[in-house]
Structures are given as structure tokens and as C-alpha cells.
């Protein structure tokens, strides 16, 4: 079964390790060989920037994007970038994996719409408005009890800034999908208010199943479904269940439980995959990308039909991309040096 994964942090590792490793085969959770074994269709590669540690998030993001295109050039026989819906179809015809570039941390645009537009020209097609720090666009759904100690179940009611609202409207205009994972509750509802097309929570689960603020409330899941958006199943053990007592079977059952709850609340069309591989500790149930089909087995045990599992695994995401990216888009560099 084909797989569309809306979020991984593999680029961070490739950039940090320099030429010692590459995308074809590596010791990370995600590489081309592992994706091919699992029958991936498309992987979103996030440019994650820790704005709290970065002296210049914009410059750091540009450096990581350069590494992304270097890797695509080195592996052009197996994987190709996606800028529009037609690229996905073309890559499938050519027997190649699809790669989509995303941003994880709105601070990289430094509150400037011209930077946002240039990221789109470089191939970015999705952006989280925040990570775990307040920035020019909004605030995260993370409240600190004290320095370095998060209140994991506390939810933040603050909304987007005026700049954040402008950015979301411009994202929709140029073709960058707003991603509300990490974003505050108020920010979520501002995105819903100031957009018309589908938006996504690329790597978030159901709060009713596991009470952490990174997961979506039922009202959010219902809204996302009504808008035609999707939420990607995050494989972080602490976002699935109590990680202290979770063996592989428990984790797989919990993952299926999150999908089942989201489907009950927002319809199966709201359910998708957003593994967060290489951004989370190793999940023993799905230790790397090659084990993603285990989730399909867990969904079958939960009572999902094959057609429903296909929607969760790739069809729902492809529908969103078809509706938001269109057939023609500004193309960045096609993996060439």
C-alpha cells in the first residue's frame, strides 16, 4: 500500500552530519532504501529550525534547503521534488519517490512576506506557523511551568498576531499549506477563520485519547474535517499513550485508536500519516520508515476496511494536495546543481 507521510525531520540529521551520510542509505529513521521497501509514494521533508538556538533562522533554513537539493541531485534516479499536483503524477509514471519541502518554524520568514514568497519559489509547499517558541506569527500550544519544564496538557488560548494573519492569507494565495501542528488553540481557530482552502495538522494526534496539548481537541478535528483538511498520525510514544508502560503492541493499538477516534469525530477523510520520524525517539513499534506498513495491520485489527486504510495512508493527503497545490506552480530547482 502506498504511503504519504506529511512530516519527518531527516533533513536536520543530514545537514548536521555533513557529507558523512546521505539520503540514499543512512542510520536515520528515513532514507530512500527504507521508503522503497515500504512502498512510499511521497515524503514531506521538514526544514526544522530551533529558533531558540539559532542566531539567524532564515539563514539556517536556507542552508538546510541547499542540502535538500544536493541530496535530490545525488539521488535523482530514485526521488524527485514536488511543486504541484502534476509533479506527483509525473513522478509516479517515472517510478520515482516524491519529496515535498516544508518548513517547521514560522520564525524563518522573520515576519516578512517577501521571504515567505521566496521560500515558495524555492519549493516550500507547507509551513508550521510555530514550533515551541513564540515568534512573529503566533505562539505554540506549549506553556512552560518553569524553565525547561513544559506543562504538557496546558492549552494556550492566544491567537495569531496581525503578521501571522497576513502570512496565512499570503500562504493560501501563493500555494503554501498552513500547518497548525504545534500552534496554540487560538492560532488554530485564527487559521480556520482566515483561510478558505483545506489546511493541515501535519503531525498531531487526538487529545481525547492522549491528553497532551500537542494533540487536537475534538472540536479541532471536526473543524479540520469540515474544511477538507487532514491530521497526520504522530508516532511519538508520548503523544500516543503513556510511554512508560508501552510495548510495541500497545503502541500500535494506541496508534490505531487515535485514527479510529479521529474518524469517529471528523470522518475517515480527516485521517492521515505524519510520522515525525527522525524528530522523535525511536518508536519500537515502527523503528524506521520501512516498518510503516505495521500501522495498516493495526488498523485492520481495529476494524478498518482496505478502502479506508488507503484513505489514511495516502488518498486523503493526495486529495488535499490536489485541492491546494493545483496543476501548475512556480518551480524551484529540480534537483540539479
Amino acid at each position: 500500500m502506498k504511503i504519504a507521510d506529511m512530516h519527518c525531520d531527516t533533513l536536520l540529521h543530514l545537514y548536521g552530519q555533513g557529507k558523512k551520510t546521505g539520503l540514499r542509505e543512512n542510520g536515520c529513521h528515513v532514507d530512500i532504501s527504507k521508503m522503497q521497501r515500504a512502498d512510499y509514494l511521497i515524503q514531506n521533508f521538514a526544514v526544522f529550525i530551533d529558533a531558540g538556538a539559532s542566531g539567524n533562522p532564515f539563514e539556517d533554513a536556507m542552508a538546510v534547503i541547499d542540502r535538500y537539493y544536493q541530496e535530490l541531485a545525488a539521488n535523482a534516479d530514485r526521488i524527485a521534488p514536488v511543486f504541484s499536483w502534476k509533479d506527483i503524477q509525473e513522478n509516479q509514471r517515472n517510478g520515482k519517490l516524491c519529496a515535498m519541502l516544508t518548513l517547521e518554524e514560522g520564525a524563518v520568514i522573520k515576519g516578512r512576506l517577501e521571504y515567505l514568497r521566496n521560500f515558495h519559489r524555492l519549493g516550500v509547499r507547507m509551513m508550521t506557523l510555530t514550533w515551541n517558541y513564540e515568534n512573529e506569527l503566533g505562539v505554540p500550544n506549549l506553556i512552560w511551568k518553569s524553565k525547561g519544564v513544559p506543562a504538557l496538557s496546558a492549552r494556550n488560548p492566544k491567537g495569531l498576531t496581525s503578521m501571522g494573519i497576513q502570512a496565512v492569507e499570503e500562504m493560501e494565495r501563493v500555494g503554501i499549506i498552513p500547518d497548525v501542528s504545534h500552534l496554540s488553540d487560538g492560532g488554530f481557530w485564527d487559521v480556520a477563520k482566515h483561510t478558505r482552502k483545506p489546511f493541515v495538522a501535519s503531525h498531531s494526534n487526538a487529545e481525547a485519547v492522549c491528553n497532551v496539548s500537542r494533540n487536537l481537541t475534538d472540536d479541532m478535528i471536526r473543524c479540520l474535517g469540515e474544511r477538507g483538511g487532514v491530521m497526520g498520525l504522530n508516532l511519538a510514544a508520548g503523544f500516543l499513550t503513556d510511554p512508560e508502560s508501552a510495548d510495541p503492541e500497545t503502541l500500535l493499538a494506541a496508534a490505531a485508536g487515535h485514527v479510529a477516534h479521529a474518524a469517529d469525530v471528523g470522518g475517515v477523510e480527516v485521517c492521515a500519516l505524519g510520522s515525525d520520524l527522525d524528530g522523535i525517539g525511536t518508536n519500537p513499534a515502527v523503528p524506521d520508515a520501512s516498518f510503516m506498513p505495521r500501522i495498516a495491520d493495526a488498523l485492520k485489527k481495529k476494524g478498518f476496511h482496505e478502502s479506508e486504510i488507503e484513505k489514511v495512508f495516502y488518498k486523503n493527503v493526495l486529495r488535499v494536495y490536489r485541492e491546494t497545490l493545483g496543476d501548475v506552480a512556480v518551480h524551484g530547482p529540480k534537483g540539479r546543481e
Side-chain angles (χ1 to χ4, degrees):
M1 183 175 297
K2 294 296 181 185
I3 295 170
D5 183 356
M6 287 196 293
H7 188 84
C8 77
D9 284 300
T10 310
L11 286 182
L12 176 67
H13 296 274
L14 298 183
Y15 178 70
Q17 295 174 26
K19 296 299 182 181
K20 295 178 183 178
T21 190
L23 186 58
R24 185 163 294 226
E25 289 188 348
N26 57 50
C28 300
H29 293 154
V30 177
D31 63 28
I32 290 171
S33 178
K34 296 181 183 82
M35 287 191 288
Q36 288 182 319
R37 292 203 300 273
D39 198 23
Y40 269 62
L41 170 60
I42 183 168
Q43 175 67 62
N44 288 13
F45 288 95
V47 177
F48 165 68
I49 302 298
D50 184 340
S54 172
N56 192 320
F58 171 79
E59 289 186 359
D60 288 346
M62 293 294 286
V64 177
I65 290 173
D66 179 69
R67 181 61 193 274
Y68 169 77
Y69 280 111
Q70 287 182 27
E71 288 299 324
L72 293 188
N75 297 284
D77 59 324
R78 296 195 186 185
I79 192 167
V82 165
F83 306 101
S84 71
W85 168 248
K86 281 189 174 180
D87 291 325
I88 298 175
Q89 297 172 301
E90 181 181 346
N91 292 347
Q92 280 189 281
R93 285 193 295 268
N94 293 334
K96 294 184 179 183
L97 295 166
C98 296
M100 183 182 289
L101 188 63
T102 74
L103 297 173
E104 187 176 24
E105 175 51 89
V108 300
I109 73 168
K110 302 180 83 168
R112 299 177 64 170
L113 297 183
E114 62 268 34
Y115 284 9
L116 178 67
R117 289 188 287 269
N118 279 330
F119 277 121
H120 179 264
R121 294 177 181 115
L122 286 173
V124 170
R125 294 298 181 264
M126 184 182 294
M127 183 176 78
T128 61
L129 281 298
T130 70
W131 186 56
N132 287 341
Y133 306 106
E134 183 173 354
N135 62 28
E136 296 89 346
L137 309 182
V139 298
N141 226 345
L142 185 66
I143 298 173
W144 300 94
K145 291 190 292 187
S146 60
K147 187 175 182 181
V149 181
L152 292 178
S153 61
R155 309 195 69 90
N156 197 329
K158 292 183 180 179
L160 296 179
T161 66
S162 60
M163 183 69 243
I165 292 171
Q166 292 179 58
V168 165
E169 292 174 342
E170 186 69 357
M171 288 165 69
E172 183 165 86
R173 189 187 73 81
V174 302
I176 297 177
I177 303 167
D179 180 0
V180 297
S181 285
H182 289 283
L183 190 60
S184 65
D185 283 15
F188 176 100
W189 295 111
D190 279 342
V191 171
K193 178 180 179 180
H194 294 280
T195 59
R196 293 177 296 171
K197 295 180 182 178
F199 60 98
V200 305
S202 69
H203 54 303
S204 295
N205 299 335
E207 183 246 14
V209 179
C210 184
N211 184 25
V212 294
S213 59
R214 275 281 285 105
N215 291 340
L216 303 182
T217 67
D218 284 358
D219 284 344
M220 292 174 177
I221 295 171
R222 195 171 294 110
C223 171
L224 204 56
E226 291 171 352
R227 288 289 302 275
V230 290
M231 55 187 287
L233 178 69
N234 190 317
L235 296 180
F239 297 161
L240 291 170
T241 187
D242 178 5
E244 298 300 321
S245 58
D247 57 36
E249 288 303 313
T250 300
L251 289 169
L252 284 172
H258 279 274
V259 176
H261 180 82
D264 286 343
V265 172
V268 72
E269 289 77 14
V270 80
C271 302
L273 302 177
S275 68
D276 207 4
L277 291 177
D278 287 317
I280 60 174
T282 298
N283 182 326
V286 186
D288 64 49
S290 68
F291 291 89
M292 288 289 278
R294 287 183 176 179
I295 298 172
D297 295 335
L299 292 174
K300 288 177 186 176
K301 289 182 181 179
K302 195 71 174 176
F304 282 82
H305 300 298
E306 188 80 6
S307 61
E308 294 174 318
I309 298 172
E310 287 180 341
K311 288 182 178 181
V312 175
F313 262 58
Y314 70 100
K315 287 187 175 180
N316 289 339
V317 167
L318 293 189
R319 168 181 50 78
V320 171
Y321 291 172
R322 186 172 61 248
E323 293 179 15
T324 56
L325 301 183
D327 289 338
V328 180
V330 176
H331 280 205
K334 277 221 163 189
R336 293 188 291 267
E337 294 284 42

